[in-house]
Amino acid sequence: MGRKGGTTHLKRNPAPKFWNIHRKEFVWTVRPKSGPHALQQSLPLTLIVKEMLGYAKTRREAKTIISQGKVLVDGKPREEAYPAGLMDIVAIPEAKATYRILTHKKGLILHPTKEDEANFKLCRIENKTVVPKGQVQLNFHDGTNKLIHIADPKNPTEDEYHTLNVIKLSIPDREVLGQIKMAKDTISLITGGKNRGTYGKIVDIEEVAGKKRRSLLATIENKAGKRFQTILSFIFPVGEGEESISLPEVK
């Protein structure tokens, strides 16, 4: 009888290249469980605790720390193989350390977060769905959803949200704190392609009739005046006028 379902194992050699692990020290590594982020776009919590932060010497030690609820992702304790990804907030309260997962030119990194930034998360709207009684459900890049209550379905004035815009959510209660629009003059982070990890101001968005919005080209200019082009699908707005979160220096 053939095997059903995906594998639960992962060898170190084919693991994502941005994972901070020794490729030949051991054969196996932890495989992230199915969750909000794909394998190639996530960091398992055990790897964060053991390899990246150095709070444990072995996987067993890391598992013990995580199972005791000492590591939080978006304000909640998670299991050891939880796949943390872009914009997730990883906090270790006992160490008074908080990090935001950001895109880097080689993959994903943990970026130290200021105290006033640790209580909110940025989520990009990937899709919108109308659910029973005319309510609107926003579907975010991290697999989560947010229900927008509509008083009058025939005149949905509360629905001011559009796909590819970014919502600022408080954590862990997930209240809407604001919206960052995908538009000119917005500060944005490039999350894919050869310019991944670069950020700057959107100076132009092409307008092509009949072309999918995600495939439209946008031009981003960094602080040094250098310009980059990428599709809107690879752009993550992070602030209007100035960044709403701290970002690493790009060399």
Side-chain angles (χ1 to χ4, degrees):
M1 184 175 180
R3 177 175 60 84
K4 294 182 179 180
T7 179
T8 58
H9 301 82
L10 178 64
K11 289 188 176 182
R12 288 181 170 237
N13 192 46
K17 298 305 179 184
F18 62 88
W19 285 14
N20 186 24
I21 56 176
H22 294 288
R23 301 287 162 172
K24 297 183 179 180
E25 184 178 11
F26 300 103
V27 176
W28 304 98
T29 186
V30 60
R31 182 185 184 88
K33 289 191 173 181
S34 298
H37 301 281
L39 171 65
Q40 295 293 333
Q41 300 171 351
S42 65
L43 295 166
L45 210 50
T46 298
L47 184 143
I48 292 175
V49 173
K50 177 177 177 289
E51 306 290 351
M52 302 181 74
L53 298 179
Y55 289 133
K57 293 183 179 180
T58 64
R59 180 175 177 178
R60 177 175 291 182
E61 290 180 0
K63 184 177 181 179
T64 300
I65 293 171
I66 296 169
S67 64
Q68 291 175 349
K70 295 182 178 181
V71 182
L72 307 178
V73 179
D74 294 340
K76 297 180 180 179
R78 307 287 187 177
E79 57 186 333
E80 62 157 342
Y82 179 82
L86 182 63
M87 294 298 168
D88 285 354
I89 299 292
V90 179
I92 303 91
E94 289 189 13
K96 297 182 179 180
T98 308
Y99 304 88
R100 188 186 303 275
I101 298 180
L102 294 175
T103 300
H104 186 260
K105 60 182 180 180
K106 293 184 179 180
L108 297 175
I109 61 170
L110 292 177
H111 181 63
T113 302
K114 299 177 182 178
E115 186 177 351
D116 60 341
E117 295 179 14
N119 59 359
F120 70 86
K121 177 183 179 180
L122 300 182
C123 294
R124 194 177 73 169
I125 303 173
E126 298 299 322
N127 192 24
K128 290 172 58 176
T129 307
V130 178
V131 296
K133 298 183 180 180
Q135 309 305 307
V136 174
Q137 180 177 272
L138 304 180
N139 313 123
F140 298 127
H141 80 281
D142 63 354
T144 62
N145 305 306
K146 178 68 178 178
L147 188 65
I148 305 299
H149 294 281
I150 305 297
D152 182 7
K154 295 183 180 179
N155 184 29
T157 56
E158 299 88 349
D159 182 17
E160 57 182 5
Y161 308 101
H162 301 281
T163 55
L164 300 185
N165 287 0
V166 166
I167 302 299
K168 186 177 179 181
L169 294 176
S170 62
I171 55 174
D173 52 0
R174 296 178 59 79
E175 294 295 327
V176 176
L177 302 177
Q179 179 179 196
I180 305 172
K181 297 181 179 179
M182 178 74 80
K184 292 181 181 180
D185 298 327
T186 297
I187 307 299
S188 300
L189 176 68
I190 299 178
T191 60
K194 66 178 183 180
N195 295 315
R196 178 174 55 184
T198 303
Y199 59 89
K201 180 174 67 174
I202 299 177
V203 295
D204 184 59
I205 298 176
E206 72 171 357
E207 297 181 6
V208 180
K211 190 174 183 179
K212 290 185 177 180
R213 186 165 179 252
R214 291 177 177 274
S215 300
L216 294 177
L217 281 177
T219 303
I220 289 183
E221 183 178 271
N222 64 13
K223 293 181 180 179
K226 187 175 181 179
R227 295 192 172 191
F228 307 87
Q229 274 196 328
T230 188
I231 57 175
L232 291 186
S233 185
F234 288 162
I235 293 180
F236 199 110
V238 295
E240 295 180 351
E242 61 180 8
E243 303 93 337
S244 60
I245 60 174
S246 58
L247 297 169
E249 291 294 331
V250 180
K251 297 181 179 179

